[in-house]
Amino acid sequence: MRANGRPLTTTSLTAVRNLGILAHVDAGKTTITERILFATGAIHKRGEVHHGTTVTDYDPQERDRGITIFAAAVSCTWGGHHVNLIDTPGHVDFSDEVERSLRVLDGAVAVFDAVAGVEPQSETVWRQADRHGVPRIAFVNKLDRAGADLDTAVASIRRRLGVVPLVVQLPIGREDDFTGVVDLVAMRALRWRAGSADFESGPVPEPLREEAGRRRRLLEETVAELHAEALEEFCADSALSDGTLARALRELTLRGDGVVVLCGSAYRNRGIEPLLDAVVAYLPAPADMPPVRGTADGAEQERAPDPAEPFAALAFKVTATATGRLTYLRVYAGTLRKGATVLDAATGRTERVGRILRVQADRHEDREEAVAGDIVAVIGLKSARAGTTLCAPGAPLVLEPPTVAEPVVSVAVEARRNLDTGRLASALARLAEEDPSLVVRSDPETGQTVLSGLGELHLEVAVEKIRRGHGVEVVVGRPQVSYRETVVRGVTGLVHRHVKQDGGAGQFAHIVLDVEPLDEPVFEFRSTVVGGRVPQEYARAVEAGCRDALAEGPLGGYPVTGLRVTLTDGATHSKDSSEMAFRAAGRFGLREALRLSTVELLEPVVEVTVSVPEDGVGGVLGDLAARRGRVSGQTAEAGTAAITAAVPLAELFGYASRLRGRTQGRGVFTTRPAGLAPVPASVAASVTGGLPAR
């Protein structure tokens, strides 16, 4: 029997699923996406990651490196439902692509390796989905691998992610003998033929009936503990019907009280059809989502997911292609038609939508309109960026944009030939437009152009894109980390007077500031001035001036964070006071306060997980110690040790080559951001040019 997708027969919002595929790098996300497209009939030949033939990894760099770098959107139909799917990157350097995707998705499939379980980036993307409140189901992949074990992987999900796993399948066979699954909800067996995507459905095999019955009972008990209606039926009948169990699983998934767990082997085409059935059965449709919230004229408003509502959409991705500038949109309300005029709610500018496209990775299909719940791309928008809200001109609404990660690594870039300087500037501007986590600036001291991103690989990919996509040969400097400065001990009652008189109206501003440290790497400003001594508009100008001063700290000129500034008093002049004067007072006053405060240098730290043969543990531990690493954990299993340590990012440049050399190529490592930490005095002196922390 072959399970193919059926044509979409309804445009109801209940028949749409918008989901992402999330996981650690190399867990099998792209292979699963490819198998989904094949199973639904969207493609007629399966591609492979190692052959560079998959639909979603279409960029030349993705095919060369064998990893997903850019989030890619595809769509298909299954069981009368339209599925919009985004295959997201799994490498930590591209987590901002995941963040922007999660902002517009309704649900997600989290993929886990049946051998490794929850890996570092798996946990990172899971927490990202938590922040956005995205319901998830889990798929334990690669059950055909040596050492694969569903129960061990599920235990790591429970332990590392702190969720209640609801396992709805039992594997048939282990490792190379894995041939199918037992569906514990319908109590049926699904077996796939070797080398084929065809499968057969039948009764549970006799040797597995007792185990399947035990696991079904455990599933019912777990669901009854979490779901009131299921508990009532379980108490009355000592069991749950298939219908009650399925409804309860869906409601628990939507509430986030439990995570449905399925299993399979995407590479061998086993488990994909039940996964699609679970996507339709358990993950939410746009109709299940609450009205989207935004602001208009300073007041919060809601807009329901209804094609008849005023149009509202969020741009979450921008790319440049041979056919034009593509802006990817999630339509939350209303209907968008080709040729329509839309409003950029943040800038107040209107633009015309030239074409609406249904996206299939790098292929596009024209559409006449897009309605609430759709994910589409449009051509014709010139100024929209990732995070821009587009809405009906007569009904403005500003939606919350995706957050953008702070860059942690920088390199200086310049064109190899002077003739290419202009083309390089254009290419860098295009890169920053497509990827908001890339920041381009000019170093005021050296005049160099500096490109900042989320990691070495992130910058390496960006530079290669300039070379390949724009034909510009560039020279790249050594990577530098993005240090920060913070206040350890502040000052109280600092008085600053800004007085300037050079004929005509002058400038006068008198302020009193308190500066104190914060535990979090943020900046806070507040005013406690009473009696109208500093009007509110001038207080806001002081805050703007303080933010200006944060750009360069007193130690090494690095940005300052982790402090609270309080405006406690001040005075104005009837003629010479202005917002400009108070902004200047805030800027120069805070600079003076920082010079008088005790300030220390902070550096980005990452959590490193190194997997290495047990005979190489000693050398790896010694190398981590030499890199100022602090080991926080060590486990061993089947001859392989996993070492977890917090290491300054500055010490990890070139670590991949060093690790391969120490372990004869058998060691691998992964990283994830772990915040900021103080730089030791001996290191800080070299970073700041000899200036100690004050």
Side-chain angles (χ1 to χ4, degrees):
M1 171 177 140
R2 174 70 190 280
N4 283 317
R6 297 194 296 272
L8 185 62
T9 57
T10 175
T11 57
S12 168
L13 289 178
T14 59
V16 176
R17 297 291 184 273
N18 295 316
L19 69 138
I21 308 293
L22 313 174
H24 186 88
V25 65
D26 202 34
K29 298 180 306 302
T30 301
T31 301
I32 288 174
T33 303
E34 191 76 8
R35 299 306 189 257
I36 285 175
L37 293 176
F38 181 74
T40 57
I43 60 175
H44 302 289
K45 181 179 180 181
R46 299 185 297 270
E48 304 293 350
V49 172
H50 53 277
H51 291 156
T53 55
T54 59
V55 171
T56 51
D57 283 355
Y58 58 86
D59 186 271
Q61 288 202 71
E62 293 178 311
R63 294 185 170 180
D64 290 348
R65 299 174 188 271
I67 62 171
T68 300
I69 296 172
F70 310 106
V74 292
S75 60
C76 56
T77 60
W78 180 259
H81 291 71
H82 187 87
V83 180
N84 294 313
L85 190 153
I86 296 180
D87 178 23
T88 65
H91 196 285
V92 65
D93 282 17
F94 309 104
S95 58
D96 213 54
E97 287 270 333
V98 183
E99 183 73 19
R100 293 197 297 274
S101 299
L102 283 171
R103 173 63 182 82
V104 299
L105 293 172
D106 300 328
V109 175
V111 182
F112 302 96
D113 188 306
V115 177
V118 178
E119 297 172 274
Q121 188 63 8
S122 305
E123 187 171 353
T124 298
V125 296
W126 188 274
R127 302 305 177 202
Q128 286 178 284
D130 280 342
R131 290 197 302 272
H132 290 280
V134 176
R136 280 141 283 169
I137 61 177
F139 184 78
V140 178
N141 191 29
K142 302 188 178 182
L143 274 179
D144 57 315
R145 283 186 61 192
D149 185 81
L150 175 63
D151 292 337
T152 302
V154 169
S156 74
I157 292 173
R158 181 185 293 107
R159 182 180 67 256
R160 295 284 299 272
L161 304 180
V163 298
V164 179
L166 305 169
V167 184
V168 298
Q169 291 179 341
L170 168 66
I172 300 176
R174 291 177 60 88
E175 301 178 353
D176 277 343
D177 295 327
F178 170 68
T179 58
V181 297
V182 174
D183 180 348
L184 299 177
V185 178
M187 291 304 286
R188 60 173 183 159
L190 304 175
R191 289 180 179 271
W192 281 264
R193 299 191 185 99
S196 170
D198 297 344
F199 70 92
E200 296 176 346
S201 176
V204 179
E206 181 64 34
L208 291 177
R209 286 183 184 174
E210 182 179 346
E211 178 66 10
R214 186 185 69 81
R215 291 185 180 242
R216 165 68 183 239
R217 180 71 177 182
L218 180 61
L219 176 62
E220 291 178 357
E221 291 173 351
T222 305
V223 168
E225 290 175 359
L226 302 171
H227 192 276
E229 179 188 342
L231 177 61
E232 186 176 337
E233 182 176 316
F234 189 80
C235 291
D237 303 334
S238 297
L240 296 179
S241 66
D242 294 354
T244 299
L245 180 58
R247 283 194 304 274
L249 289 171
R250 174 176 172 79
E251 291 174 16
L252 291 173
T253 300
L254 298 186
R255 297 202 310 250
D257 292 338
V259 177
V260 171
V261 180
L262 301 98
C263 60
S265 169
Y267 181 67
R268 295 197 180 183
N269 308 291
R270 294 167 188 172
I272 300 302
E273 293 84 0
L275 175 62
L276 282 164
D277 290 337
V279 164
V280 169
Y282 305 128
L283 290 180
D288 298 315
M289 306 304 292
V292 66
R293 292 185 175 183
T295 57
D297 298 325
E300 187 174 282
Q301 290 189 8
E302 292 185 347
R303 202 158 290 180
D306 185 343
E309 286 275 310
F311 172 71
L314 186 70
F316 65 96
K317 184 178 175 69
V318 175
T319 61
T321 68
T323 57
R325 184 176 184 271
L326 286 183
T327 305
Y328 290 76
L329 305 178
R330 163 64 194 267
V331 182
Y332 284 99
T335 301
L336 176 67
R337 293 183 174 84
K338 186 169 68 172
T341 298
V342 295
L343 174 71
D344 183 332
T347 65
R349 296 179 56 180
T350 57
E351 296 198 71
R352 182 178 176 275
V353 175
R355 296 169 63 192
I356 302 174
L357 305 174
R358 171 75 70 192
V359 180
Q360 198 77 344
D362 59 340
R363 292 172 292 152
H364 315 117
E365 174 188 338
D366 278 280
R367 296 186 58 190
E368 291 299 314
E369 66 178 26
V371 300
D374 273 339
I375 293 178
V376 296
V378 298
I379 293 179
L381 304 183
K382 295 182 175 62
S383 61
R385 302 289 185 268
T388 296
T389 301
L390 301 173
C391 54
L397 184 73
V398 179
L399 303 177
E400 181 183 356
T403 58
V404 180
E406 285 279 329
V408 295
V409 181
S410 302
V411 292
V413 294
E414 63 181 37
R416 188 177 295 277
R417 301 187 308 165
N418 290 336
L419 292 174
D420 289 335
T421 301
R423 293 173 62 197
L424 174 61
S426 175
L428 288 171
R430 180 67 58 83
L431 277 180
E433 179 183 326
E434 295 183 358
D435 186 351
S437 61
L438 286 171
V439 176
V440 181
R441 62 180 176 85
S442 177
D443 190 307
E445 294 185 2
T446 64
Q448 290 179 307
T449 299
V450 178
L451 179 64
S452 303
L454 302 183
E456 281 187 277
L457 181 59
H458 191 206
L459 295 179
E460 190 180 312
V461 167
V463 169
E464 188 63 24
K465 197 168 186 181
I466 294 173
R467 289 175 175 145
R468 293 189 183 190
H470 300 271
V472 179
E473 282 298 319
V474 293
V475 178
V476 182
R478 186 180 184 276
Q480 301 289 332
V481 304
S482 297
Y483 293 97
R484 295 290 185 269
E485 298 179 27
T486 192
V487 173
V488 178
R489 185 172 64 250
V491 295
T492 302
L494 182 130
V495 178
H496 184 82
R497 288 168 61 88
H498 178 71
V499 181
K500 188 176 182 181
Q501 192 74 45
D502 52 5
Q507 294 184 26
F508 178 88
H510 176 96
I511 60 173
V512 181
L513 301 177
D514 289 350
V515 176
E516 57 185 314
L518 290 177
D519 293 333
E520 296 294 321
V522 295
F523 169 70
E524 291 183 7
F525 179 89
R526 64 182 181 182
S527 173
T528 59
V529 178
V530 295
R533 291 177 60 82
V534 179
Q536 187 62 35
E537 62 269 23
Y538 291 169
R540 287 195 293 267
V542 174
E543 178 181 359
C546 289
R547 291 187 182 276
D548 293 341
L550 296 176
E552 293 184 10
L555 286 181
Y558 299 106
V560 184
T561 188
L563 73 159
R564 177 189 291 123
V565 175
T566 305
L567 176 64
T568 60
D569 200 1
T572 63
H573 187 277
S574 58
K575 292 184 179 179
D576 293 345
S577 290
S578 64
E579 290 186 23
M580 182 173 65
F582 273 88
R583 181 165 185 162
R587 180 169 64 253
F588 295 121
L590 182 54
R591 284 181 181 175
E592 182 181 353
L594 290 174
R595 285 194 294 269
L596 297 174
S597 300
T598 301
V599 181
E600 72 177 0
L601 197 65
L602 300 177
E603 63 182 345
V605 175
V606 296
E607 181 184 276
V608 181
T609 301
V610 185
S611 296
V612 60
E614 288 186 335
D615 58 4
V617 168
V620 169
L621 289 174
D623 190 38
L624 289 174
R627 295 173 186 270
R628 296 191 283 127
R630 299 188 306 277
V631 176
S632 58
Q634 181 177 335
T635 60
E637 185 176 345
T640 300
I643 303 166
T644 304
V647 184
L649 181 62
E651 302 289 347
L652 282 181
F653 296 137
Y655 182 60
S657 299
R658 184 65 176 268
L659 179 64
R660 284 195 295 268
R662 283 185 172 273
T663 61
Q664 290 79 47
R666 295 178 295 168
V668 295
F669 76 100
T670 58
T671 64
R672 64 173 178 172
L676 298 168
V679 179
S682 58
V683 178
S686 63
V687 173
T688 61
L691 292 175
R694 297 183 295 102

